[in-house]
Amino acid sequence: MSHNISYSTADKADVLAFLGSGGNLTEDQQRRLGNMRRLAQAYQDSLDHQDVDWGLSVPEALDHLIAGRADSDAACAGNAYHAAMQLVIDRNASDPSQLGTYSKPSTFFGLVDDEMRRLGVPADLLPHGYLYGGLPDEFPDIPWSLDGYPAIGHLPLAKAKPAADAYRAVLDRMDPDFRYDVQELIEKLEFEHEEWERATRDIDWYTQDTLFFSLT
């Protein structure tokens, strides 16, 4: 089974504002929450159509997150919480972009990490670490998804250029099997850095600070 990796940029504070809010939100946030609820039900309808039962519905998981809890003991509660959390991120983020589709992304990027580590790339910039790193430290803990997907990762936008520079510096010495995918990652990180730098300089209200990765 293949897995898709997409990403978007957001201000993590905008996402955090919904978690544990109990619905005490501004008018604009209430509108976004309404969209999240509609999308959560559509997600659940799709699961129901496929006879997929996580033991906790996506709308219920969203309600838990808004209430500030993620304590369901359902066997696949992590799947529902990750799906609901991704909806919160998406309603506060840029339009998603695609990183790629991989048959075994964790295995592949684990091998990329090994290769980069051998070539001296700093540990905090290795791609598997942020693709599968979960949510930022300030976020509440949510259970891992059964079988690992859906999953969420993140990278501070301030690290996008250092990561791209570190990868570019070793690209020619990497195993050829990794070069195409790493080159694609470099170009995407450089583009996001340039957009972040431009927007931070030119747009007064711009506060986005995090790349969020969605693995499904």
Side-chain angles (χ1 to χ4, degrees):
M1 179 179 178
S2 295
H3 296 283
N4 183 63
I5 304 178
S6 60
Y7 63 92
S8 56
T9 59
D11 182 338
K12 62 185 176 184
D14 290 343
V15 181
L16 273 170
F18 287 84
L19 308 179
S21 68
N24 184 21
L25 301 165
T26 67
E27 183 177 344
D28 179 63
Q29 289 170 328
Q30 288 283 2
R31 178 184 58 78
R32 295 186 194 189
L33 179 57
N35 288 334
M36 293 173 206
R37 294 193 191 283
R38 285 189 288 274
L39 291 167
Q41 188 58 57
Y43 197 130
Q44 187 60 44
D45 290 345
S46 176
L47 293 175
D48 292 343
H49 182 71
Q50 300 170 65
D51 293 323
V52 174
D53 182 6
W54 285 340
L56 176 71
S57 74
V58 179
E60 288 172 332
L62 178 60
D63 285 342
H64 286 193
L65 295 176
I66 299 305
R69 50 183 284 241
D71 56 359
S72 171
D73 60 1
C76 299
N79 297 57
Y81 285 130
H82 274 80
M85 181 68 76
Q86 190 62 57
L87 293 176
V88 181
I89 292 169
D90 289 347
R91 293 305 94 193
N92 289 279
S94 64
D95 291 336
S97 298
Q98 296 300 114
L99 179 60
T101 301
Y102 299 85
S103 60
K104 296 181 179 178
S106 183
T107 299
F108 177 79
F109 283 103
L111 293 171
V112 170
D113 273 17
D114 291 343
E115 180 77 345
M116 288 186 173
R117 190 180 293 109
R118 180 182 69 82
L119 295 169
V121 174
D124 66 326
L125 300 179
L126 297 174
H128 188 282
Y130 56 80
L131 292 175
Y132 287 88
L135 295 160
D137 290 342
E138 303 94 322
F139 281 58
D141 290 332
I142 58 176
W144 291 103
S145 297
L146 191 69
D147 298 326
Y149 299 93
I152 298 171
H154 79 281
L155 180 71
L157 276 164
K159 287 189 173 183
K161 188 173 190 303
D165 289 347
Y167 304 165
R168 192 174 290 284
V170 301
L171 186 63
D172 290 345
R173 292 180 284 142
M174 292 190 72
D175 185 318
D177 290 343
F178 302 138
R179 288 179 192 165
Y180 174 82
D181 295 275
V182 172
Q183 178 66 48
E184 289 286 299
L185 181 55
I186 289 169
E187 291 175 3
K188 289 174 170 59
L189 290 174
E190 288 177 337
F191 175 80
E192 293 302 333
H193 166 76
E194 290 167 2
E195 288 295 294
W196 175 65
E197 190 176 53
R198 178 194 60 77
T200 300
R201 182 187 63 240
D202 297 340
I203 303 174
D204 290 343
W205 51 262
Y206 183 88
T207 57
Q208 292 186 356
D209 56 11
T210 305
L211 272 166
F212 284 98
F213 295 90
S214 171
L215 299 93
T216 56

